[in-house]
Amino acid sequence: MLHVQETVSKLALIIMEKFIKELEEELFRTKPKDLEVVGFRKKNIATKLGEIKIKRRLYKKKNSKNDYIFLLDDKLNIRKGRRVSGEYLKLLVSLSSMLSFRQVEEVIEEAGFPSLSHATIHKEVREFGERESKRIEYEREKVFTEGKLQVGGKKEKDLLFIEADGIMVSSQEDKERMEIKVGVVHEGWNYETPAKSRRRLKNPKVVMGMYKDADSFWEEFSSEISKEYDLTNTQVVLNGDGASWIQETAKDYFPGLIVQLDRFHIKKDVSRHFGYEIAEGLYKVLQEGEVQAFLDTLESLIWEAKTKEKQKQQHKLVKHYQKYKEHLLDYRYRLPEKLKQKKKLYGMGVVEGYVDKNIARRMKNQGMSWSKKGAEAMAKILMLKHNKKLKERLNDEYYKIKSPIKVLKYRKRKYTGNCSNWLQAKMPVLYGVDSGKDWVKAIKQLVTV
């Protein structure tokens, strides 16, 4: 005997296929006069309950060579090439944000869901990510084309923190790796309760993706921020490594921006070129606000290098720090006094953890490589997931296949036969010796109006 749940699932699929068939016949009876039937085409849609098998008519407009249409597909919102239902897509996208597509294939098969190849899973998930990327791009272009940075943000904060970084992933298309840019914005810190031993970011939001240039990233980043915040009277602080797209370009999008060179990268670079002990000592000097002493000490140490190549590398690093001298000073020394006294302020440097958590674990493990479109699609999925927007976007009507039962419910249905005959039908098992068993009770519920 099949498990009751399996029986109910199979029954649900049979009912759904019956209603789809009925809807197809209704569409055929009421089709526009300028359409003619070319033939039937089959299609399978995978759902979490199982596969629904569909047979529908392909129509063509009369006196036209290439104008074809599936009336059933249009009515039920089944887009071309689609293989899964909206609810099943939610499962695939959620799993794919954590596992490789091959691993997702194995998981759904072991869990008893309709099996799909990793290529099909990849296609469905990538199409979702690409469409969300285009939607975000459209919103960005609309904001900057119309010249409106504020697009509905109402929260007013006197201080906001931004951190930016980039991560390189392997490319399928050429030998060079591709950079995914990542930005994190938050309102400051609070302590995790009840232990209160760890600081947590207040309301963190992430923006990430593949961008053709720095301006595209900062336009999207500022557009996303302005959905939630009114930045008119906000002091923005930016922390990032020495990349020019962070240290220079960002100033064009946030008036009065305070830019800080990331302490983690400074310590790492000084340690690599001058030694760990020197890096430890100079890091403390920098934390005390002695920027000039930091630069002078580094410059004097160049001449102690044993090789010209080492001197060259050290000189390049010192020259880089001299270029961004004002960015070496900790942001807490540069804030207006009213902000220093108003908040508990801490050092910045969380973006490395966000990069590892949101991108590296999913996109760099096991020698993974990506196409540009594939990398962008997955980055947007990871972005939506972190910002707790993934479920909302997957519930969009675009991704849902309409229920044929609801579509048919609104038309007047006529039945010319004798209704009393089938109403008199009985199921002996419901009243026999097994009538008290759980599985019989479940069937009673199914047949009871």
Side-chain angles (χ1 to χ4, degrees), residues 72-79 82 396-402:
L72 182 69
D73 289 14
D74 280 4
K75 186 63 72 173
L76 296 183
N77 191 36
I78 303 175
R79 66 180 187 270
R82 187 165 190 179
D396 189 279
E397 289 297 323
Y398 176 83
Y399 302 110
K400 293 181 179 179
I401 295 178
K402 295 180 181 178

Side-chain angles (χ1 to χ4, degrees), residues 137-318:
E137 173 71 9
Y138 170 78
E139 292 175 357
R140 176 187 71 82
E141 288 184 352
K142 186 177 179 181
V143 169
F144 283 89
T145 299
E146 295 178 0
K148 297 178 181 179
L149 184 58
Q150 308 297 331
V151 291
K154 296 180 180 180
K155 291 174 71 173
E156 295 185 2
K157 294 291 178 180
D158 50 15
L159 189 58
L160 272 182
F161 300 90
I162 294 174
E163 302 209 30
D165 199 2
I167 182 172
M168 307 304 292
V169 296
S170 298
S171 171
Q172 294 176 347
E173 298 161 358
D174 50 53
K175 293 182 180 179
E176 293 184 6
R177 294 191 298 169
M178 304 178 294
E179 183 181 43
I180 295 177
K181 290 181 171 62
V182 185
V184 182
V185 59
H186 62 93
E187 298 171 8
W189 301 264
N190 54 21
Y191 282 100
E192 183 183 12
T193 56
K196 296 185 178 180
S197 59
R198 294 179 59 190
R199 289 194 298 272
R200 292 282 185 178
L201 300 184
K202 288 183 180 179
N203 197 26
K205 294 289 183 296
V206 172
V207 172
M208 63 179 76
M210 303 277 298
Y211 302 90
K212 61 181 180 181
D213 51 38
D215 287 315
S216 297
F217 170 79
W218 289 114
E219 284 180 7
E220 181 178 314
F221 195 91
S222 56
S223 173
E224 290 296 313
I225 291 176
S226 63
K227 291 178 183 178
E228 186 169 355
Y229 298 100
D230 179 352
L231 301 178
T232 306
N233 300 310
T234 302
Q235 174 64 64
V236 181
V237 178
L238 168 64
N239 180 76
D241 64 18
S244 61
W245 68 271
I246 298 175
Q247 299 299 320
E248 297 175 12
T249 314
K251 294 179 179 179
D252 298 332
Y253 296 88
F254 302 99
L257 179 68
I258 293 176
V259 185
Q260 173 185 280
L261 272 167
D262 182 61
R263 272 36 196 164
F264 170 79
H265 285 92
I266 291 175
K267 196 171 182 179
K268 183 177 73 172
D269 291 340
V270 173
S271 180
R272 182 170 70 249
H273 293 292
F274 290 91
Y276 176 77
E277 292 184 4
I278 292 174
E280 283 289 314
L282 288 181
Y283 178 77
K284 293 177 182 178
V285 170
L286 201 57
Q287 289 300 88
E288 293 171 358
E290 301 294 334
V291 173
Q292 193 58 53
F294 172 83
L295 290 172
D296 290 344
T297 303
L298 280 182
E299 192 169 14
S300 66
L301 290 171
I302 293 175
W303 309 110
E304 297 181 9
K306 296 180 179 180
T307 64
K308 288 186 177 181
E309 182 61 29
K310 190 69 173 178
Q311 285 184 354
K312 185 178 178 180
Q313 293 173 356
Q314 292 176 345
H315 179 73
K316 184 179 180 180
L317 181 63
V318 173

Side-chain angles (χ1 to χ4, degrees), residues 25 34 45 58 162 204-205 228 289 300 334 386 429 442 445:
E25 295 304 318
D34 64 336
I45 300 292
L58 175 64
I162 294 174
K205 294 289 183 296
E228 186 169 355
S300 66
R334 292 183 273 165
H386 178 273
V429 69
Q445 292 179 354

